[in-house]
Amino acid sequence: EGAAALVLADLGLVAPEVLASRMGSWVDGALDADGHQRLARRLRGALVAGEAALAGDATLLAGVAERVESIADRDFLSRAPALREGFEVLSPAARARFLESVLEQHGGHVRDLELSLDPARLARHHAADRLAHEALVALELTTSLVHADGHTSRSTLAPSASRSLEGRAIAPLDRWRIVLGREAQALEGQALRLAKSLDELYGPGRGEGSRRDREGGGGSEPSFPTTREWAEELEALFGTEVRDEVLSRAGAAGRVGAVLELDAETVTPSIELLETILSLKGGLGEAQLARLRRLVERVTRALVEELATRVRPALTGLATRRPTTRPGGPLDLDRTIRRNLSTARSSAEGMRIAPERLVFRTRARRALDWRVVLVVDVSGSMEPSVIYSAMMASILSALPAITTSFVAFSTEVLDLSARVDDPLGLLLEIRVGGGTDIAKALRYARSVVTVPSRTLVLVVSDFEEGGPVGALVAEVRALVESGAKLLGVAALDDAGKARFERAISEQLVAAGMPVAALSPLELARWVGEQVR
């Protein structure tokens, strides 16, 4: 969405002012963990697609800038990690240049200022001025404002104005330093603590200007001694909800200690986090394993539900127009109103109907009677694909008249079909690692096929066969000739990109098994098309 918005603006289909307002609304809509995640992703997309445009036209980011600088501290703190994650897609040097432009808009770089008075004396004067200002505000008296040109004006300061100022104690430039992860050495107090806590997650960044000793980089403060201390600092600064969001991102990035600090009830689910959690299952004590299992169960359940909402419509029938009074399908509002017009009564608000009989639409479910055999490669570097496969198996097993089998293989073959309705148990049972013998796995899959013409065999692998390729091609031909439908699904790497051995894949395609890089939704659509 973020990338598309910038492309539309670049093509002249959306006015810069409209885009700026839309990007500002992304910040406004970030009200909870899901909103924070959407804000970060949209901002990353916009910055990737339009880094040059954004650098050349400051109005495009005006909406985001206005929110960053003007919203209350509590609202800024809840969004700061998401904003930081969004801008992290830029190199440190690009973020430093952006900060320089912000400083220019605010009247120059603070390091260019020279003080003619002792800073301690200025601080005392400032404290005295602030106390006097608060006293005047409390009495609802007017204050004199001396402007740069020497003239004096008077204004009435209501107590609400004081509260507004108190709501924005973090200065606009300090907010940008926190969001961009630059010039931490110019911060102090709470602003420095905020920047340091986020730097613990994101570090110096990658790309141009990522060395910490470059001018304009982050501070030189030491990292937090333990993850627990970091978690406590995050909670003190941002609150529990945002703390868990940051720790979830740290866990997804592979930080093991952050995983053990997460609350299973408030964690933000992601495939990357689940990978990190599953990597710990063999090296923890009983107490930690019990907590880890609750965490895995929560993350797995959330991911399956999220995936199922997108996948199931491709596999089950849609509502038909055939009416029924039996509850179950969606309400047929038109027929319900027509059938209950006799109950219509006039009231001060208008006509009202008190329906005595509700009419629903029936759902058409296809009688599938199909077997889906998932043959999943669990050799090294296959973790993301294994997770998606386990979730897909759980979703398929819940569909009527589909029998789902799950065959895991490396150099050995393990039939885990009895656990397909329990993705957590399935994932905890699998051990990723070892070599690859796809031919052996297909030989076993052929043995469980009872009605080939009603069977789909889905092979999830990188197709880097460890044994003779001829034996693999022969097994594929045998399954195709039996009447079963085969599909090779390319493995996903840690970045979600397809990864497979092309030379072997081409031989398998020639033998009758198409090989494709599919998302879970695309895979569900393919399965739905085959079983119609």
Side-chain angles (χ1 to χ4, degrees):
E1 292 174 7
L6 262 292
V7 170
L8 290 173
D10 190 48
L11 294 173
L13 301 176
V14 173
E17 297 78 12
V18 174
L19 176 61
S21 176
R22 183 177 302 172
M23 294 180 70
S25 72
W26 298 347
V27 182
D28 295 335
L31 301 175
D32 53 19
D34 290 338
H36 299 159
Q37 194 173 53
R38 287 194 297 271
L39 169 60
R41 289 176 175 174
R42 286 168 171 165
L43 193 53
R44 288 172 70 89
L47 292 169
V48 167
E51 180 179 352
L54 292 168
D57 187 356
T59 61
L60 296 178
L61 276 173
V64 174
E66 191 273 333
R67 269 71 167 188
V68 169
E69 297 175 15
S70 65
I71 59 178
D73 281 352
R74 64 180 180 276
D75 297 323
F76 170 73
L77 291 176
S78 69
R79 293 162 172 81
L83 290 165
R84 174 70 182 270
E85 182 173 344
F87 277 97
E88 277 294 307
V89 76
L90 301 178
S91 69
R95 284 183 275 125
R97 289 190 290 269
F98 186 88
L99 180 59
E100 289 290 338
S101 67
V102 172
L103 290 167
E104 290 176 4
Q105 294 173 18
H106 284 266
H109 203 296
V110 294
R111 288 183 299 191
D112 296 334
L113 299 176
E114 294 183 0
L115 296 176
S116 58
L117 297 176
D118 176 53
R121 183 180 177 186
L122 285 176
R124 290 194 297 271
H125 288 177
H126 171 72
D129 286 344
R130 183 168 183 173
L131 288 173
H133 169 77
E134 291 174 353
L136 289 170
V137 168
L139 296 171
E140 299 187 11
L141 298 176
T142 58
T143 61
S144 297
L145 301 176
V146 181
H147 297 271
D149 58 5
H151 80 276
T152 301
S153 63
R154 302 181 68 82
S155 64
T156 300
L157 296 175
S160 60
S162 175
R163 287 194 295 270
S164 176
L165 290 172
E166 290 174 0
R168 293 193 294 273
I170 305 174
L173 293 183
D174 287 348
R175 293 184 177 198
W176 278 116
R177 292 185 176 102
I178 294 166
V179 167
L180 297 172
R182 312 311 296 159
E183 292 195 1
Q185 70 276 8
L187 300 172
E188 58 183 18
Q190 184 192 26
L192 178 59
R193 292 172 60 195
L194 291 167
K196 181 184 175 184
S197 65
L198 294 180
D199 286 343
E200 185 74 10
L201 171 59
Y202 296 106
R206 284 185 267 180
E208 181 189 3
S210 60
R211 287 173 57 89
R212 278 192 177 273
D213 55 355
R214 298 274 181 91
E215 184 179 1
S220 58
E221 299 82 7
S223 61
F224 290 90
T226 66
T227 303
R228 182 175 293 275
E229 291 180 9
W230 178 40
E232 291 172 353
E233 178 76 343
L234 288 170
E235 183 161 13
L237 293 170
F238 298 100
T240 302
E241 181 180 351
V242 177
R243 181 208 68 167
D244 287 341
E245 290 179 33
V246 175
L247 291 178
S248 294
R249 293 189 184 103
R255 188 156 177 172
V256 174
V259 173
L260 299 176
E261 295 294 330
L262 287 171
D263 184 348
E265 297 305 318
T266 58
V267 66
T268 302
S270 71
I271 293 294
E272 296 80 10
L273 177 60
L274 188 54
E275 285 182 63
T276 303
I277 296 172
L278 292 173
S279 70
L280 304 177
K281 61 188 178 185
L284 298 176
E286 289 298 326
Q288 291 174 317
L289 278 176
R291 182 176 180 182
L292 187 66
R293 185 177 179 87
R294 291 195 299 273
L295 188 59
V296 174
E297 184 175 11
R298 162 80 172 85
V299 174
T300 305
R301 184 173 65 251
L303 290 174
V304 169
E305 289 174 357
E306 179 184 345
L307 184 61
T309 59
R310 292 177 289 158
V311 165
R312 280 186 181 139
L315 296 168
T316 58
L318 301 176
T320 67
R321 287 288 180 181
R322 185 162 56 89
T324 178
T325 56
R326 180 179 299 175
L331 180 68
D332 191 328
L333 187 59
D334 291 341
R335 284 191 171 92
T336 298
I337 291 174
R338 287 198 299 270
R339 182 167 294 188
N340 293 275
L341 285 175
S342 60
T343 67
R345 297 290 184 272
S346 177
S347 66
E349 294 81 11
M351 295 296 295
R352 289 191 173 186
I353 292 178
E356 297 174 349
R357 298 187 67 186
L358 301 179
V359 182
F360 300 89
R361 295 174 185 161
T362 56
R363 288 192 181 278
R365 290 188 178 273
R366 292 184 290 270
L368 303 180
D369 294 319
W370 282 77
R371 177 188 288 272
V372 177
V373 183
L374 278 162
V375 183
V376 182
D377 186 348
V378 296
S379 60
S381 72
M382 286 291 297
E383 193 94 57
S385 295
V386 171
I387 291 172
Y388 276 120
S389 299
M391 292 193 294
M392 283 296 298
S394 175
I395 294 168
L396 289 169
S397 68
L399 295 174
I402 280 189
T403 302
T404 306
S405 299
F406 192 98
V407 178
F409 73 92
S410 53
T411 52
E412 300 297 327
V413 177
L414 182 62
D415 191 337
L416 298 172
S417 303
R419 291 187 175 273
V420 291
D421 58 346
D422 177 17
L424 172 60
L426 194 59
L427 289 171
L428 293 178
E429 190 77 23
I430 295 171
R431 296 291 185 271
V432 175
T436 307
D437 192 340
I438 309 174
K440 187 175 183 179
L442 288 180
R443 194 175 306 119
Y444 178 83
R446 190 152 52 94
S447 70
V448 301
V449 174
T450 52
V451 184
S453 62
R454 306 284 287 180
T455 301
L456 305 178
V457 179
L458 310 178
V459 184
V460 183
S461 176
D462 55 12
F463 300 103
E464 295 182 1
E465 176 70 327
V469 177
L472 170 58
V473 172
E475 289 296 334
V476 169
R477 283 179 177 153
L479 276 166
V480 171
E481 290 171 359
S482 71
K485 297 183 179 181
L486 276 72
L487 177 66
V489 182
L492 299 174
D493 62 15
D494 293 337
K497 297 179 180 178
R499 179 179 55 79
F500 59 99
E501 217 294 322
R502 294 185 178 276
I504 295 178
S505 298
E506 289 173 358
Q507 295 184 55
L508 299 180
V509 171
M513 183 176 76
V515 177
L518 301 176
S519 69
L521 179 57
E522 291 168 333
L523 178 60
R525 286 173 177 160
W526 183 86
V527 172
E529 290 172 0
Q530 301 305 313
V531 299
R532 282 179 182 149

